[in-house]
Each structure stands twice: as C-alpha cells, then as structure tokens.
Amino acid sequence: MAVTDTGRMDVGAKRPSRLFKNMTAKIAAIPMIATALVVFIGCTAWTIYHSFTRSRLLPAPDKWTGLQNYDRLWSENRWLVSIENLAIFGSCSLVLSLVIGFILAALLDRKIRFENTIRTIILYPFALSFVVTGLVWQWLLNPDLGLQNVVRSWGWETFTFDPLNNADIVIYGILIAGIWQGSGFVMVLMLAGMRGIDEDVWKASRVEGIPTWKTYIFIVIPMMRPVFVTALVIISAGIIKVYDLVVAQTSGGPGIASEVPAKYVIDKMFGSQNLGLGFAASTMMLLSVLVVLIPWAYLEFGGKKER
Amino acid sequence: MANSVEIKHLDLNFGAVNVLKDLNLEIAEGEFLVLLGSSGCGKSTLLNCIAGLLEVSDGQIFIKGNNVTWAEPSDRGIGMVFQSYALYPQMTVRGNLSFGLKNAKFPKAEIEKRIAEAADILQIQPLLDRKPAALSGGQRQRVAIGRALVRDVDVFLFDEPLSNLDAKLRADLRVELKRLHNQLENTMIYVTHDQVEAMTLADRIAIMKGGKIMQLGSPDEIYNRPENIYVADFIGSPSMNFFDGEVVGNHFKGGDLDLPLDGYTFGPGGAVDGKAVIGIRPEHIITGELVAGAPVKLEVPVELVEPMGSDTLVYGTLNGQALRIRMDGQARVSLGDSLPIGIDPSRASLFDKASELRL
Ligand SMILES: Nc1ncnc2c1ncn2[C@@H]1O[C@H](COP(=O)(O)OP(=O)(O)OP(=O)(O)O)[C@@H](O)[C@H]1O
Ligand SMILES: [Mg+2]
C-alpha cells in the first residue's frame, strides 16, 4: 500500500479487496450460510454415504455394502412403477399447469369484471394442504359419491369414470387433483408477470394490427421468461416430492399402480426400517433433479457471460 | 388544403369522469400539430382516441375523410410512438421493424426494402441486428419511429417521445424530428408538456386544459397574442407579469401603471371600459438605453438578480407585486438599484378581468 510523504496511508489509491466489501452484510449472512452448509450439504452427504451401507435404523453407522442397495432398488418392480408414474405425473402436470395457469392469467389480464373474486376462487386450492386436496378429489372421483354418480343420475346409466380404482389410469386421477391445486398458483405468478408488462407495448402491437394471441405468443411470453423459469422451478420441486396427494387419494393403490418415489423412500425408511435402501432411493431422486438442474443452470448463468 | 384529421364533438368519459368535453379539431394535410398542456389535461387521452386505442363516448373522428370513429387502430393509417419506446424487447431491431409487416403478410422483398429505407432515413443501419436492450434511449426512440415509418402511415402520433431522454439528446432528436417532418411531409400529431419542443416543432399548437382546447394557433400567435390568461401564463419562461387594473378611456390604469392604449391592437370586441388584467412578458420590458424611446417610463427597485449566461433575470417590485424582467446577459445590475424600465403597451396583452379573455 502506498504511503505518502506525510506518512498517511493513501487509502483511495488502491482498489479495496472484494472480500471486505459489504462486510456487515457478509457477517450477517454467516449464520444462514452455516446452516445451509450443515443442513443441506452435510445432510445430503450423510444420506449419500448411508445409501452405501446396510443401515436399518437411525442413527445407524453400519457395514459398507457398496452398490448393493442400488442393485436391489433397480430390480424392484415397485420402484420402477414409481419412476414411471413420476415421469407421467411430472411431465403432464408441468405442462398442463403451465398452460392452464397461463391461459387463466391471460383471461384475467383482459380486464374482466370481478377479477378479484375469480382470482381468489382459483387460488383457493393452493391454500389447501395436499391431504385435503387429495381427500376432496378422492370423493369427487369415487364412483358411488362423485362425478360418475352425478352423471348417471342425469340419466346416462352406462357412464363410467372411476380412475382411482383402475390401475391403468389411476395416475391420471391423481394428476387431476395435482393440476387443480397447482394451476391457481401458476396463474397468480403469471398474472403478476403480465401486469409488469408495459401497457404501451400492448398499444404498439394493437396499432400494428397484431392479433391478441400473437402478441401473447411472440411478445408477452418471451418477455415473461423469468416468470416461467420461476414457475417451472417451483412446480418441479412440488412434483418430485409429491407424496401426500397419493397417500390421501389412493395410498399407492390399486396394488402398486400409483406409487411414487417419495412414498417409496418414506415407506422404506419408516415402514420397513431399511434406511440404506430408502437413502439409495432418495439419492436417485437427488440425481434426477441434478440431471435437470445442472444443464439449466449452465444455460441460464454460464451462457450469459459470453453475451 | 384537405383535412387529414378531423375531430367533431368528441367526448370521452372514464366511468363517471368526463375527460374530454365536446372537443373539435381540424388538422390539415402535412401539418405538424402539437398538443401542449400540463399533466392530466387529457393530451394522451385525445391522442389515444385518434389512434383508436380508447373508445370514444360521443362524437366522430375522420382521417383522410373516412369516418374511423369505430375502426380498429391498425385500419386507421396511423403509426404511434410512445414515451417508453414500447419496443418488443426479445426481438432485434430488424424484428421490431418487420413484425407488423410480416403479420400483414407483406412479401419478403418488400419488407426488406422498407426496412432498408427506414434505416437509411433514421440512420440506424448499424443497429439492425441488435436487441433494444443494447441501444441508447435516443436509438431506441429512432427504432420506434422506424416502426411507424415502415408501415407507410398517413398520420404519425407521438406521445411525449423525447421525455425519457436527457436534455442534450432531446435537443438533437428534436431537430431530427423536424428534419424528418420536412422530408416525409406526413401529418404529425405530437403530445408534449415541453414548451420549447412545442414552439420549435409545431406548425400549430393546441393548448389544452381540463379536456378542452384553450387556444389553437401558430407558435407566434400563441406567444404574442394569447387568447386568455391561462395560455398567456402557461407559455413563456419565466412567465408573464400580470397586473390588475381598469380600462378607462383609452388607458389602462392600475396602481403606478398608466398605459396609453393607442398602439394596442384590440380584438374584434374593441376597447370596452371595465376591470382588466394586463400581461407583460419579462422579455418585453424595455431596459438600458432603449428606455429613453419607450412610450411609458418607470423606475423599479431591484430585489433579486439571476445571471443565466445568455441573459439576466431581474426581479423588481411594481404595484406591490413581483415584476420579472429579462435583460441582456451583459447587463450590470445590482441589488437595491433603482432600475429605469420602459413599457410598450402594443406588445402587452389585455384581458377582461371576469372572463379572462383577451380584449
Ligand atoms: N384509465 C383511466 N381511468 C380513469 N381516469 C383516467 C384514465 N386514464 C386517464 N385518466 C384521467 O384522465 C385525465 C387525462 O389523462 P391523460 O393521460 O390524457 O393526461 P395527459 O395530458 O396525457 O397527462 P401527462 O402529461 O401526465 O401524460 C387525467 O385526469 C387522468 O386522471
Ligand atoms: Mg400523457
């Protein structure tokens, strides 16, 4: 550091180290950073480590068994069905809740009357817990109480709609409940995004004679990219950990037809007291999240520097 | 000359609020009309009505002789430029210019040709492949103008297009707009609350207040012969000096003021005795050597001096009121001086006290 003739340190002459910038803010963040490190990274590492052991109960350091748990996992039919269900449920509910949420938001954005009322009604399901949603839809889809019964009572005697008891389509029954719960939330996110768009852009496109739907697709949606990313991340997180909805609606049945990975993990950990296997399954779930997340993060943050 | 835009008995209400009231306006082909007024007077509302972005409550709008009162904005032959630029941020400049044309199913070659022409006129060729985020405010506004230009419209509508730019750029773009108007000879309607923009750009200025047009006239008329006190006060900076008094015989009398009105050009109503207000612009108060030749001579105490470089603002007192005087930048005046001034009534404006209209 330069020392001038007067002996005073010339503090302005050197760029301050970046480490010491915003010191107070950094100190304030230390507890949170520590928590994040210990809880997230620490527990994740602990989980992964134990997935290679024969641990049965908490806290359980046990014999290292290598990939044995994973072998068993991937040879188990129930796990394979869970993965398949998650894939179907995940892709459908991601796409449908984005599309439905966006369309609802677009309709509300057209300055209709009673917007507040309608918004509240549509957002209501989101305020319910998954268990309640699951039960409500269990009743609605119950052949003796719900939709099927109502349609039959209108005189359409042969009408059959009983997804929760049909192993081939049971996952779609759960999907309906998932979308009902999720699209209201997406709608509110999208509506906030749409309200953030400059009114003048709409005027400009109207003056140019561009139809409303084209304005939405070519101008509004590209401008709402950050909102879509946020919605995508939040919905995806919800999908991967879906558990209570299934428990409330079908408990995984009929048979194992509506099992999902999160339920598998819980059952193994607390039901069959096979911690190692449960951890192996959760490690697989983590891996699948990373497979999606890493390329996305790379595109989103890595790509920016080149531009 | 044929009328390009005609507005007849236009009313516009937002719910119970009446924003435009029985508004009539005729704009000639190729004219540059500026709508000037303070914030909230309904300038943008009027412009949006002409554009078709707002449904009028009553009255009719004609463009090029066609009744377009209920036509879609895109069918009216208008292009619009906004204060916030309103470019499509995810498209390149080229994309912004071509989107409307592509939508209207113009052939590719024609689109290319029009973009090249517009880019040439607005000097934005090097920017065509950039996104709006990578442009300066002035460049963005040029692209926004280009978007109206490529559509080959009859009437350009501008809603405070320069308000988001810094002072220097605003002055540059103002000159360019004037050049563009001379080159294109389109009708242009321009909303602003900046007097300088209005005075320099306009063929005619419409001064609005509370949804009504207070005066419609050339910049010269607006400045020199304001029709009412509102316009007189609104135009000019620093604003006009007003003094209460009375017209008696052929004189204006009020406190220390006694002005003969022989040189004053009265309106059609002629000279009527009664309570009146006289308005004198700070720059029309005669100072220095010229005072000797002035029709009326006075002396006022100097209370404040503001040197501004090109000229000097002097605040004196007359009739117990502040009197603003604009003097030459070289003028040497100091506080407490008694400043000899002259007034030329022929350059003043007389208003009726009650109706506030020009006499
Ligand atoms: N959507 C609306 N609903 C109700 N009142 C409105 C609406 N838009 C404008 N107004 C009212 O109409 C009046 C005129 O508004 P306008 O936007 O035309 O003003 P302006 O002259 O353009 O002002 P500025 O210079 O601030 O842009 C204002 O008093 C405003 O409050
Ligand atoms: Mg406005």
Side-chain angles (χ1 to χ4, degrees):
Chain A
M1 202 166 282
V3 177
T4 54
D5 297 342
T6 55
R8 189 173 54 88
M9 272 214 272
D10 199 349
V11 284
K14 202 176 164 213
R15 180 196 293 269
S17 161
R18 283 190 54 184
L19 188 65
F20 296 112
K21 249 195 193 170
N22 303 331
M23 241 349 232
T24 13
K26 281 176 185 163
I27 291 172
I30 283 177
M32 196 54 223
I33 292 172
T35 314
L37 281 179
V38 172
V39 175
F40 297 135
I41 312 273
C43 291
T44 307
W46 192 81
T47 304
I48 293 174
Y49 171 79
H50 280 274
S51 72
F52 294 104
T53 70
R54 243 181 20 202
S55 303
R56 298 218 143 253
L57 271 174
L58 288 167
D62 209 312
K63 234 175 92 191
W64 180 268
T65 54
L67 287 173
Q68 196 185 318
N69 280 331
Y70 290 89
D71 279 343
R72 196 174 143 200
L73 182 68
W74 284 102
S75 59
E76 208 175 317
N77 198 25
R78 184 176 159 193
W79 174 253
L80 297 177
V81 171
S82 300
I83 293 284
E84 190 191 338
N85 278 341
L86 184 67
I88 296 173
F89 178 82
S91 49
C92 293
S93 94
L94 196 65
V95 172
L96 287 177
S97 43
L98 278 181
V99 170
I100 294 174
F102 183 85
I103 291 174
L104 286 176
L107 290 177
L108 276 191
D109 190 43
R110 301 276 81 201
K111 308 245 161 65
I112 56 166
R113 281 209 274 172
F114 312 122
E115 180 194 318
N116 282 337
T117 320
I118 295 175
R119 195 176 46 200
T120 311
I121 292 173
I122 297 178
L123 189 59
Y124 236 102
F126 187 69
L128 299 178
S129 89
F130 264 123
V131 176
V132 176
T133 307
L135 285 176
V136 167
W137 279 92
Q138 194 197 11
W139 292 331
L140 283 175
L141 298 178
N142 183 313
D144 298 327
L145 302 168
L147 273 175
Q148 176 176 318
N149 189 34
V150 171
V151 176
R152 281 192 182 173
S153 73
W154 289 341
W156 195 352
E157 295 293 342
T158 55
F159 178 80
T160 313
F161 186 65
D162 185 16
L164 296 188
N165 292 318
N166 180 341
D168 292 334
I169 57 167
V170 61
I171 195 66
Y172 297 99
I174 294 171
L175 183 66
I176 293 174
I179 291 170
W180 181 73
Q181 169 130 28
S183 39
F185 172 69
V186 177
M187 175 199 77
V188 174
L189 267 186
M190 298 277 173
L191 193 58
M194 281 177 198
R195 289 289 150 85
I197 286 174
D198 185 1
E199 189 76 14
D200 287 350
V201 169
W202 274 106
K203 287 186 185 170
S205 87
R206 247 190 99 189
V207 167
E208 290 204 281
I210 294 155
T212 309
W213 67 270
K214 263 195 186 175
T215 311
Y216 271 117
I217 290 181
F218 293 106
I219 300 167
V220 173
I221 291 183
M223 284 173 86
M224 281 178 41
R225 194 189 132 105
V227 179
F228 271 89
V229 171
T230 310
L232 210 72
V233 169
I234 294 177
I235 304 173
S236 309
I239 288 169
I240 294 196
K241 62 181 195 207
V242 64
Y243 166 74
D244 21 18
L245 200 58
V246 177
V247 171
Q249 266 188 293
T250 64
S251 308
I256 55 164
S258 60
E259 291 288 346
V260 287
K263 183 161 179 297
Y264 182 94
V265 171
I266 304 246
D267 286 353
K268 288 296 162 194
M269 279 166 69
F270 302 110
S272 354
Q273 302 198 330
N274 192 342
L275 214 55
L277 192 56
F279 282 172
S282 37
T283 306
M284 289 317 302
M285 285 169 69
L286 176 68
L287 210 62
S288 63
V289 172
L290 291 183
V291 164
V292 178
L293 222 54
I294 289 175
W296 166 75
Y298 182 75
L299 282 179
E300 192 73 355
F301 303 112
K304 248 186 202 133
K305 285 179 194 127
E306 293 160 29
R307 247 186 277 153
Chain B
M1 221 186 304
N3 279 331
S4 175
V5 179
E6 240 173 284
I7 294 163
K8 290 182 178 163
H9 306 292
L10 186 71
D11 275 314
L12 187 118
N13 308 320
F14 283 118
V17 187
N18 184 224
V19 175
L20 299 178
K21 300 170 191 79
D22 191 28
L23 194 137
N24 292 285
L25 189 59
E26 290 182 0
I27 303 161
E29 186 74 53
E31 183 171 4
F32 199 121
L33 182 95
V34 172
L35 300 175
L36 180 65
S38 53
S39 194
C41 67
K43 310 179 294 285
S44 301
T45 306
L46 175 56
L47 202 70
N48 284 334
C49 286
I50 298 174
L53 294 168
L54 282 176
E55 267 183 28
V56 305
S57 308
D58 199 9
Q60 280 158 349
I61 300 171
F62 296 82
I63 294 179
K64 288 231 154 178
N66 302 317
N67 188 338
V68 296
T69 314
W70 300 105
E72 270 296 303
S74 52
D75 301 332
R76 296 185 177 207
I78 51 126
M80 196 159 176
V81 177
F82 300 88
Q83 177 176 354
S84 63
Y85 321 125
L87 297 178
Y88 312 134
Q90 308 298 331
M91 299 182 192
T92 60
V93 170
R94 193 187 298 280
N96 268 280
L97 295 180
S98 62
F99 193 50
L101 297 179
K102 274 188 194 150
N103 181 63
K105 305 237 163 14
F106 275 81
K108 263 214 168 75
E110 175 69 15
I111 296 180
E112 283 304 314
K113 195 178 129 240
R114 288 192 181 194
I115 291 182
E117 267 174 24
D120 191 44
I121 292 174
L122 299 165
Q123 296 159 3
I124 51 173
Q125 299 101 325
L127 312 176
L128 282 179
D129 294 312
R130 289 206 209 158
K131 293 249 176 93
L135 302 178
S136 73
Q139 290 169 332
R140 283 182 213 183
Q141 201 51 289
R142 261 182 258 206
V143 175
I145 296 171
R147 207 164 49 178
L149 209 57
V150 291
R151 289 180 50 239
D152 198 15
V153 294
D154 301 319
V155 181
F156 279 79
L157 307 175
F158 296 91
D159 195 350
E160 308 202 22
L162 308 184
S163 297
N164 280 3
L165 306 176
D166 66 57
K168 171 91 174 65
L169 206 55
R170 202 181 309 171
D172 290 348
L173 221 58
R174 199 175 68 212
V175 175
E176 266 183 57
L177 265 175
K178 185 143 195 166
R179 186 178 58 82
L180 190 71
H181 180 240
N182 291 338
Q183 186 178 349
L184 298 175
E185 297 181 331
N186 285 55
T187 309
M188 297 191 175
I189 307 178
Y190 187 105
V191 166
T192 182
H193 57 245
D194 184 317
Q195 295 185 25
V196 183
E197 269 171 38
M199 296 298 278
T200 51
L201 286 171
D203 293 326
R204 280 195 306 165
I205 300 176
I207 303 224
M208 292 182 65
K209 179 196 175 192
K212 284 191 180 138
I213 295 182
M214 300 301 284
Q215 185 172 358
L216 175 65
S218 67
D220 176 59
E221 282 167 346
I222 297 266
Y223 180 78
N224 289 311
R225 295 187 58 78
E227 266 168 22
N228 46 55
I229 293 187
Y230 180 80
V231 173
D233 191 34
F234 188 80
I235 287 286
S237 167
S239 55
M240 206 180 237
N241 298 294
F242 293 102
F243 295 99
D244 284 346
E246 236 177 318
V247 175
V248 184
N250 211 14
H251 278 255
F252 175 85
K253 287 186 180 149
D256 296 338
L257 284 172
D258 185 350
L259 310 174
L261 296 174
D262 311 318
Y264 184 81
T265 327
F266 279 95
V272 187
D273 287 3
K275 284 201 184 314
V277 176
I278 195 159
I280 308 165
R281 294 208 177 275
E283 51 272 36
H284 291 165
I285 291 177
I286 304 163
T287 54
E289 290 146 20
L290 296 172
V291 174
V296 178
K297 301 179 194 66
L298 289 166
E299 289 212 350
V300 293
V302 173
E303 305 218 309
L304 187 70
V305 181
E306 285 184 335
M308 308 217 298
S310 61
D311 39 35
T312 306
L313 280 184
V314 179
Y315 292 79
T317 317
L318 182 62
N319 282 1
Q321 250 178 282
L323 173 73
R324 294 173 287 272
I325 308 165
R326 192 200 288 273
M327 296 178 69
D328 189 79
Q330 301 299 315
R332 293 283 163 262
V333 190
S334 26
L335 273 179
D337 281 0
S338 189
L339 183 72
I341 57 165
I343 293 171
D344 178 2
S346 70
R347 300 192 77 180
S349 295
L350 262 181
F351 303 98
D352 182 73
K353 174 78 180 165
S355 67
E356 305 204 336
L357 295 177
R358 187 182 185 85
L359 286 173

